[in-house]
Amino acid sequence: MKITDHILNAKGKTLFSFEIVPPVKGKNIQELYNNIDPLMEFKPPFIDVTTSREEYVYINKSGLLDKKLTRRRPGTVGICASIQHKYKVDTVPHILCGGFTKEETEYVLVDCHYLGIQNVMALRGDARSEQKYFEATKGGHAFASELVGQIQNLNCGKYLHEEIESDNCADFCIGVAGYPEKHLEAPSLQSDLKRLKEKVDAGADYVVTQMFFDNQKYFEFVDAAKEIGINVPIIPGIKPIAVKRHLQLLPQVFRIDLPQDLIDAVDDCKDNKAVRQVGVDWAIQQSKELKAAGVPVLHYYSMGKSDNIHAIAKGVF
Ligand code: FAD
């Protein structure tokens, strides 16, 4: 079922969902299942599965010159299909511009369609770790709005090469990313919101936000989005702080602010076990307020480990 239909069917009740990261190449899928299993108690109607772009790794074998290899975490669509089969919930594969040509993207979308995956999240992706700025892959898209356009074309039976037009249309429900504290490259929140509107105008059906730790930022973002005519559901994304290093890492990587009370509470912790508890308590407090405000879904970034997400959901749902 489409995410937008799940939201409609919930009739105002806030739903629970979460995002998982595929295992690295060579690892098996059981650990992922072990982390999903406890969360099924909270009846998520859908689970997101991230995609990572290619990264270069250098292997130095017995003093010989470094060998350059390209690696990515494989399996997003396969994991989505296996979760749908095992748990009977919808899945949302993340589809990236970066690292993929339009043709490769089309094949992934056709696979999703055949597998009965009805939702996709359309994202640009970040620069590779050795790049300063994002560069579009040759033959790929430069912005998520273009990717949304390609998916929307498939929904109309239009494949990449115009001689192929089919009445076998896909019917993907399309999610896109939104940034309550603006995307790190955007010159202002207002211009980033205009870019979000372009994604919605191109066919996006709902928005999932970047993590934020101050609900006021989300409420103001939703108001500003509505003001410029963005009328699709805006799902808040919640990430619990889990280690002390997050105090530096999250603002540095995502350019988000952390509230002083949260910083102080983490600073006072003796070890990362205590930090994890502070993260859980903060996320419960955030989630309860968002739920009371009637958000359609509370979407959690699990980063592969679910014990803290389970504790939060227990406190909220
Ligand atoms: P876009 O919407 O394309 O925007 C990127 C930047 O370009 C913004 O600054 C925007 O203002 C600007 N812009 C947009 N259109 C134009 C234009 N026409 N001209 C000039 N500027 C423009 N990353 C992954 O690698 N894998 C994942 O699975 C993944 N999942 C995510 C899930 C969520 C919910 C979120 C919030 C992020 C996720 N990301 C993921 C990270 C995301 O890929 C990065 O934040 C990326 O830098 C931007 O992606 P986007 O889709 O928002 O890009």
Side-chain angles (χ1 to χ4, degrees):
M1 199 194 285
K2 293 182 176 189
I3 305 305
T4 44
D5 288 334
H6 281 298
I7 292 172
L8 279 177
N9 289 352
K11 297 193 172 80
K13 196 175 142 231
T14 301
L15 300 168
F16 163 79
S17 74
F18 59 96
E19 174 187 290
I20 56 162
V21 180
V24 291
K25 192 155 95 173
K27 295 272 177 204
N28 79 30
I29 199 170
Q30 190 53 47
E31 196 185 332
L32 197 60
Y33 291 152
N34 294 346
N35 278 287
I36 295 174
D37 285 346
L39 298 179
M40 297 317 288
E41 176 189 342
F42 307 104
K43 303 200 171 12
F46 64 93
I47 298 172
D48 274 53
V49 183
T50 63
T51 292
S52 57
R53 65 172 306 174
E54 82 288 9
E55 287 293 344
Y56 293 135
V57 287
Y58 294 88
I59 295 183
N60 189 324
K61 279 202 168 164
S62 55
L64 296 173
L65 283 178
D66 281 356
K67 192 172 171 199
K68 187 172 159 190
L69 299 173
T70 311
R71 270 203 198 141
R72 68 159 54 103
R73 283 175 192 246
T76 299
V77 172
I79 290 169
C80 283
S82 76
I83 291 174
Q84 290 205 166
H85 180 70
K86 184 173 162 68
Y87 297 102
K88 311 285 179 259
V89 297
D90 284 302
T91 49
V92 188
H94 290 190
I95 311 285
L96 297 185
C97 303
F100 298 88
T101 65
K102 293 173 198 171
E103 276 77 12
E104 286 167 334
T105 296
E106 188 170 84
Y107 291 132
V108 168
L109 291 168
V110 169
D111 281 347
C112 290
H113 183 45
Y114 288 160
L115 287 164
I117 292 168
Q118 287 182 286
N119 303 281
V120 291
M121 187 78 186
L123 298 148
R124 189 197 69 177
D126 288 315
R128 283 200 309 269
S129 51
E130 85 284 3
Q131 290 175 322
K132 202 150 188 206
Y133 304 105
F134 176 86
E135 281 172 31
T137 297
K138 196 164 176 271
H141 296 294
F143 297 108
S145 54
E146 298 171 4
L147 175 56
V148 173
Q150 181 181 0
I151 302 167
Q152 197 56 316
N153 277 343
L154 263 192
N155 282 349
C156 302
K158 279 192 212 140
Y159 288 72
L160 279 177
H161 307 295
E162 57 227 23
E163 67 269 23
I164 309 172
E165 282 214 18
S166 165
D167 54 8
N168 175 28
C169 300
D171 188 18
F172 290 113
C173 174
I174 307 168
V176 289
Y179 302 83
E181 296 175 67
K182 92 172 182 66
H183 182 257
L184 56 100
E185 295 161 28
S188 72
L189 184 56
Q190 205 52 37
S191 78
D192 202 27
L193 269 166
K194 274 164 100 180
R195 299 304 184 187
L196 179 59
K197 174 89 165 42
E198 285 169 10
K199 294 193 270 192
V200 173
D201 291 344
D205 297 290
Y206 69 99
V207 176
V208 182
T209 75
Q210 182 59 279
M211 68 186 80
F212 56 90
F213 293 88
D214 173 357
N215 286 346
Q216 206 46 42
K217 301 253 165 80
Y218 168 83
F219 294 133
E220 286 167 10
F221 177 70
V222 171
D223 286 347
K226 280 195 184 133
E227 226 161 79
I228 61 162
I230 296 174
N231 293 315
V232 298
I234 301 182
I235 297 173
I238 306 288
K239 177 181 163 53
I241 295 259
V243 288
K244 221 167 208 178
R245 221 167 91 73
H246 278 159
L247 288 190
Q248 283 77 45
L249 210 62
L250 300 180
Q252 191 188 339
V253 175
F254 301 106
R255 310 287 155 81
I256 50 170
D257 279 347
L258 299 177
Q260 194 56 46
D261 287 352
L262 177 58
I263 298 169
D264 292 344
V266 171
D267 269 340
D268 287 346
C269 291
K270 280 202 214 74
D271 54 26
N272 276 335
K273 189 167 173 237
V275 173
R276 216 166 165 80
Q277 189 56 46
V278 166
V280 166
D281 293 342
W282 191 272
I284 289 177
Q285 183 194 314
Q286 262 196 290
S287 303
K288 281 185 171 169
E289 189 185 18
L290 291 163
K291 190 164 171 250
V295 299
V297 183
L298 283 162
H299 185 70
Y300 295 93
Y301 298 116
S302 84
M303 307 306 290
K305 291 265 176 273
S306 67
D307 60 315
N308 52 355
I309 308 298
H310 186 272
I312 296 161
K314 198 105 195 138
V316 178
F317 290 93

